[in-house]
Amino acid sequence: MTSEMTLVGHLTELRRRVLYAVIPAAVLLIPAFVYAPTLLAFLYRPALAYGYTLHLYALTDGLTLRLRASLLAALISTLPNTIAQAFIFIFPGLYSRESRALLWFTILTALLFSAGIVVFIVWLTPFVVYIWDRYDAAHVLLSAAVYYDVWEICALVCGTLCALPAGIWVLRKIGNALKS
């Protein structure tokens, strides 16, 4: 690749990198769809431990939940490849100091985000179900789709909050670089 590219060259390279990122996720979607019931059973375990019975109310709830869980699993599984493709596209246009900072930022963010998701799954999901149980003394029937929605949102928020320090660190580095 040359140092000077035309707009069409950049768009062609971007299309190639997007395809290299999307194709593995699409391929992993098939085994993830097969194992989605196992993943959903693992996610529903805290609610079942408190005596909740999860129901599917809409005709398409079962398929939708299975597709959403498999899509999330496939995207998380291929996230390192997606990040690598983004780096391969972006790195030629960065100075060495910028590329080092971006590399550290990405590594820290990925590790902290993953740690936040693990913390949520292991410690906070049972706590959220415990709080839910305290406010729902009558044990009203619980929709499996609503439970998954709450779980997914809370897990992503927890992961994002844990990754925030890396973002703040990079913004400080960028601010220091702009001053000098």
Side-chain angles (χ1 to χ4, degrees), residues 145-169:
V146 170
Y147 179 83
Y148 183 80
D149 288 343
V150 170
W151 181 89
E152 187 177 53
I153 290 168
C154 290
L156 293 176
V157 166
C158 189
T160 303
L161 287 176
C162 286
L164 226 67
I168 292 170
W169 176 74

Side-chain angles (χ1 to χ4, degrees), residues 1-3 5 10 13-14 17-18 82-96 98-103 105-106:
M1 201 173 352
T2 63
S3 61
M5 289 179 66
H10 281 294
E13 180 69 15
L14 177 62
R17 296 295 159 203
V18 168
T82 303
I83 291 171
Q85 295 306 320
F87 274 158
I88 292 170
F89 180 73
I90 293 172
F91 267 6
L94 298 176
Y95 294 114
S96 64
E98 293 170 336
S99 61
R100 264 195 320 267
L102 184 63
L103 181 64
F105 166 71
T106 306

